[in-house]
Amino acid sequence: MELEAAIRTRRSAHRLIEPAPSDQEFTELVGWAATAPDHGHLRPWRWILVRGDSRTALGEAFASGAPDAEAVRREGRKPQRAPLLATLVFAPRRNHRVPDWEQLAASSAMVNSLMLLLHDRGFGSMWRTGSSVDSAGTRCLLELAPHERLIGWLYIGSPDPTRRSVPRSPVPVDSRISLFTAPPDQAGAAQPPAEMIRSCP
Ligand SMILES: Cc1cc2nc3c(=O)[nH]c(=O)nc-3n(C[C@H](O)[C@H](O)[C@H](O)COP(=O)(O)O)c2cc1C
């Protein structure tokens, strides 16, 4: 699949069915996704794969903070929406010259590449978060270290062939893109660049 076609046709899938990629295939794809821009090549993340019956335990953790019986049922069922829940753990290198936000940006870039690679192999995925990312029950079940942060789950599987996915159109972005033209740095310019820069707060 060409890259542009992959971008145009990838859609987040709310429900996914078997098969999901094997551990080996997932690892292979993450290896490629990890070539995304990453300042310092820190790879400040790790994945915890949750499959099969283990999804029930994860559902219990999701439900642990639910306020009522209906919410307990709803939260508990969530991990059953895909055969593979790849848990993304942000594990930033603290006190590093690359600040946290850049490490988070690198993690995000990796996820986007991974989603496109999964799509290219015929798999569907959806990035989900929710209150469970910060819940003590989920953190405890998955044995997160204190400095680690859950930044969501990539729900992964195969798209349901009975559900048609509509290819997208490009987002109108004209108003979000502008061209900076430096004012001429000479007599006659309302405010020459050197003066502008000097007067910056
Ligand atoms: C960090 C992150 C967290 C998200 N969490 C959720 C979520 O918990 N629930 C949800 O319905 N969509 C969530 N989304 C949005 C979906 O993943 C998806 O992008 C959205 O449904 C649009 O579908 P599309 O990817 O086909 O454009 C999240 C997206 C990101 C980037």
Side-chain angles (χ1 to χ4, degrees):
M1 193 187 295
E2 291 298 322
L3 179 61
E4 195 176 315
I7 290 172
R8 201 164 354 101
T9 55
R10 183 205 65 80
R11 298 309 305 245
S12 292
H14 291 251
R15 294 218 167 262
L16 292 153
I17 57 176
E18 294 280 4
S22 65
D23 294 353
Q24 192 191 337
E25 188 169 16
F26 180 84
T27 305
E28 184 196 329
L29 293 177
V30 171
W32 287 114
T35 64
D38 181 345
H39 194 175
H41 294 157
L42 299 177
R43 323 288 185 231
W45 41 262
R46 63 189 181 95
W47 291 97
I48 304 171
L49 306 186
V50 185
R51 300 176 187 271
D53 291 345
S54 299
R55 291 173 303 161
T56 307
L58 187 61
E60 282 172 30
F62 282 8
S64 59
D68 54 55
E70 173 47 34
V72 165
R73 255 195 312 278
R74 197 177 53 242
E75 291 298 314
R77 277 200 306 262
K78 282 185 172 174
Q80 308 300 326
R81 295 180 292 192
L84 168 60
L85 269 74
T87 315
L88 181 53
V89 180
F90 179 49
R93 200 87 69 80
R94 294 279 183 228
N95 305 314
H96 194 274
R97 69 185 165 79
V98 177
D100 262 32
W101 77 264
E102 289 192 23
Q103 298 186 44
L104 189 56
S107 306
S108 216
M110 179 273 298
V111 176
N112 190 47
S113 295
L114 179 60
M115 292 179 83
L116 287 169
L117 286 163
L118 285 162
H119 176 52
D120 186 52
R121 292 266 174 113
F123 296 112
S125 65
M126 180 159 176
W127 191 348
R128 293 181 186 272
T129 46
S131 55
S132 316
V133 291
D134 291 320
S135 97
T138 312
R139 289 185 62 89
C140 169
L141 182 75
L142 297 174
E143 300 186 294
L144 261 68
H147 78 288
E148 293 182 323
R149 177 149 198 215
L150 275 172
I151 55 172
W153 286 267
L154 216 52
Y155 284 63
I156 303 172
S158 297
D160 182 342
T162 62
R163 292 180 186 225
R164 215 167 57 86
S165 168
V166 184
R168 59 180 90 233
S169 308
V171 174
V173 291
D174 293 21
S175 63
R176 292 170 186 273
I177 299 173
S178 60
L179 178 67
F180 168 71
T181 312
D185 197 358
Q186 60 197 27
Q191 201 180 9
E195 198 179 299
M196 276 173 78
I197 294 164
R198 253 197 316 279
S199 64
C200 286

